[in-house]
Amino acid sequence: MSATTAPPRRSAQPPAVAPARRGGGRGRRWVGIALRYALLLLVLVITVGPFVWQLATSLKGAGENLFANPPDLIPNNPTLENYAAVAQVVPLTSYVRNSLVVAVASTITNCLFGAMAGYALARMRFRFRGAVLAVIVATLVIPFEVILISVFLITRSLGLVNTLPGVVLPTAVTALSIFIMRSGFLDLPREVEEAGQVDGAGEWQLFRHVALPSVRGQLAVVGIFSFTFAWDDFLWPLIVLRDPANYTLTVGIQFLSGTFSRDQAVIAAGTMMIAVAPLILLFVLLQKQFFRGVGEGAVKG
Amino acid sequence: MRSTFFPRRSALLLAVALILSACGMGGGSSGGDQAADAPAGTEAGGELSGTITFQTLQLQPTFTDYINGVIADFEEQHPEVTVEWVDIPFEGAAQRVITDASTGELPDVINLNPDFALPLAVQGTFVNMDEAAADIRDQYVEGAWNAFAYPQLGHGVALPWYLSTEVTMYNADHFEEAGLDPETPPATFEELYANATTIAERTDHFGMHPAMENRLLIDWAKLGVPIVNEDGTEATFDTPEAVAYLEQLTTFYEQGVISPDSVTETHTDEIEAYQAGRIALFPSGANFLTVIEENAPDIAAATRVGPQITGEDGVPGMSVMGILVPEATDNRAAALEFARFMTNAENQLAFSQIVTILPSTLESLEDPYFTEVQGDDAEAEARRISAEQIENAEVLRPVVVSEEFNAAVVDRAEAALLGQVTAQEAVTQAEQAATEVLERSAAATGR
């Protein structure tokens, strides 16, 4: 699974450079580089373009046509008023707090339970292990809308309707988290754990002190996935939270666009907060782990 | 979501309908209002008491003060009653309402449009307003009342609330640029087509936007095409008029009167295209004038308003919001009284003065605010035109038409515009697909 995180960036380098060197000719090398950067720029425009438009829109003052054609990316009267307007329209701090509680809790539970279940499925031997794995993987393909009502009924019988734990619970550990962690543990060389066993470590100690530190890359991936999923989730919080004071940011931000008004600049400012806030936070927290990967081996050779 | 003029966002109604058919509609009381335990079923005359919950569709924050004001007035008249107001976003509202109905969590009074209400209403979820509000029925716009009178039920289940009706917004600058008279908006489909063609030929702009996902069935209905048969069991729109309409759009696509990407686009894209000045004609709800003003002031300044483009019978279309009372409420008397109060002439008139919507009560429409409009800006003109139209207006898209039905038809229509099938083939195939949708939903609801 580590292959999906850091390595592609690394392995992308050598092949791209090597043929250029073999080609020898200076011109061909420049063509190769130009082509590469042209492609990179294209991808940049596609992925970052809408984001830039949204950012530009959120900074535009009254009186500017937001849908001008071609798009006008430099605001004539740059202003932060739209951001202030978001806070006036919705109780932003409490929505952000609720979203943070939900996202952080979801990250912790997914990392913890995902790692535990993944370790058991990768390393321990017990009956029906294959069947358990199959059932967990099968849940990946069930759309949430289908089980919505039964999940709601369970949540209600637990007395968690209209509470933040009720929002976290259905996705406290997802099949994807378990699957990613299991793959991470499978990739570890058994010798390390065997060495630990020889030194007298129990199953818990092996998990906590030997296996877990070696899968930080996977933990970071699970953490980022579960954080962004919980942060962006809309339908479930809308259904389970009855009192508007408990709404999370994605639900609350809907009220920026009224039934009869759609001030795109304010909406853009609101969505920028949704998009940007968790990104910054995640990068500060997880950047190191995310790029480190797993390869820093405990076993040489 | 049926509404042409209120925002359309739901794409999940199909999924919702499936969930609904898989789960029995649980009865049960609305959650969380223990205060209503005392038997509050006293009929008219008795003093009302208890707590009721009132749920609306995305009216905060613009109308927070208005709604709270009406609630305060009501509580003053009925001191024993407490009204709790919950406002939920439009997005996801369909799923929320279905889940609430299946688990007995519906509020006591609920604001829905005919689309959201349909899957629940056919299961008998809501109080029969033909009986419960028989005395005030004729105070409401007839077409609005009928919008909630589903043929499967044979009676109305809502008190009509606010309405919106289509007007023809157009960019006067584009008209002048093309040498057309900016004071003469198109009044018929022929004139609309002629204007659109002229503008596309003589200027850099597109004439119009088909927004078929939103307009196709309504335009057909205006042209006299019968969309479904009387009892709503079969699609019946395979007519020469329907074919001719698609052929016209196909020609527009080939001639560049409509933009190539607009074939598969929705009403939201149409608004954006108009705000970007890419299209000259924009028939839609008058309430979108506010949106244009907020986002594209220069386009708003050039915008003029004409009456709705109608077919030969001249019946204009409209979209409707209603207030319903679920049968499961444990405070029926107070819930009904509050629904009446919210939709009465006085309160609706006050509502319509905040934004360009129309009241559904005939008395409010007689008010000078609508009959003697001051000012000559686009919004005032739109208000005057809308109020004139509304009394004869009807919801043109038949109430049995679901999102799935619409999607099946639009899918074939798009194929016709792109030249994959002929217009006649598209209409025939669409009719078949739409009938299948009706049969499936009939089987699901066990009719």
Side-chain angles (χ1 to χ4, degrees), chain B residues 173-196:
Chain B
D173 291 350
H174 295 191
F175 266 56
E176 268 176 43
E177 208 180 320
L180 294 167
D181 178 10
E183 300 304 321
T184 324
T188 63
F189 278 97
E190 287 76 25
E191 288 171 24
L192 172 70
Y193 295 151
N195 286 349

Side-chain angles (χ1 to χ4, degrees), chain B residues 267-286:
Chain B
H267 185 241
T268 314
D269 304 301
E270 185 182 14
I271 306 167
E272 289 181 7
Y274 184 78
Q275 289 177 164
R278 290 176 57 216
I279 53 172
L281 285 147
F282 176 43
S284 193

